[in-house]
Structure formats: structure tokens, C-alpha cells
Amino acid sequence: MVGLERDAVKAAFVEFIAGQNLNAIQIEHITLIIDHRTERGVMALRRLYESPFTDMDDQGVAACSRKPTSRRSLPC
């Protein structure tokens, strides 16, 4: 077994998401991170600047900080 339990990965983001006003790009990035961690277990930071993260915006996760509605950065 390589990946992590989906519920465990989602639980890691509960504190980050709680009370936040996230935009659609931020929510999509979180979903992609959860999917990646569920499938592979770990995630190198460089992946945030590769497909599928760059499919939404060519700057990858940097798009989240360019268009902030949250004061915190996305956790990895």
C-alpha cells in the first residue's frame, strides 16, 4: 500500500480550511493535494508547480497567493 487513507488526508486540512473564505482555485488545489497524497502518500513541493496544478494556472500553487482570500498558505 503506497497511498494514505483519504479520510486521514482530509482531516489534515480541516484546521486549515475551517473559517476560511477560500476561492475556487484554492479549493481545487486542496482537492488535488488530497488526491495526490491519497494515491502516493507523500508529495514533493515541486509537484505544486507541475501538472495538474499548473493546468488551472501556469504559476501552479503560486496562483493561490496571487489571488488570496485566505491569510494562510496551503499546507502540503
Side-chain angles (χ1 to χ4, degrees):
M1 176 176 235
V2 175
L4 299 172
E5 293 284 332
R6 186 168 192 79
D7 289 340
V9 177
K10 287 172 74 173
F13 285 90
V14 168
E15 183 179 327
F16 171 76
I17 295 171
Q20 297 298 308
N21 184 23
L22 302 176
N23 64 37
I25 291 175
Q26 291 169 319
I27 293 168
E28 183 63 20
H29 273 97
I30 290 170
T31 301
L32 289 171
I33 292 168
I34 290 170
D35 291 346
H36 186 89
R37 301 278 321 264
T38 300
E39 292 172 17
R40 295 175 182 88
V42 297
M43 181 173 190
L45 290 177
R46 67 177 160 69
R47 290 285 298 133
L48 296 172
Y49 298 94
E50 299 171 351
S51 184
F53 298 96
T54 54
D55 295 348
M56 292 176 284
D57 188 291
D58 63 349
Q59 296 299 307
V61 76
C64 292
S65 62
R66 262 202 336 263
K67 304 166 192 158
T69 56
S70 170
R71 294 180 187 193
R72 293 187 263 176
S73 299
L74 290 171
C76 291

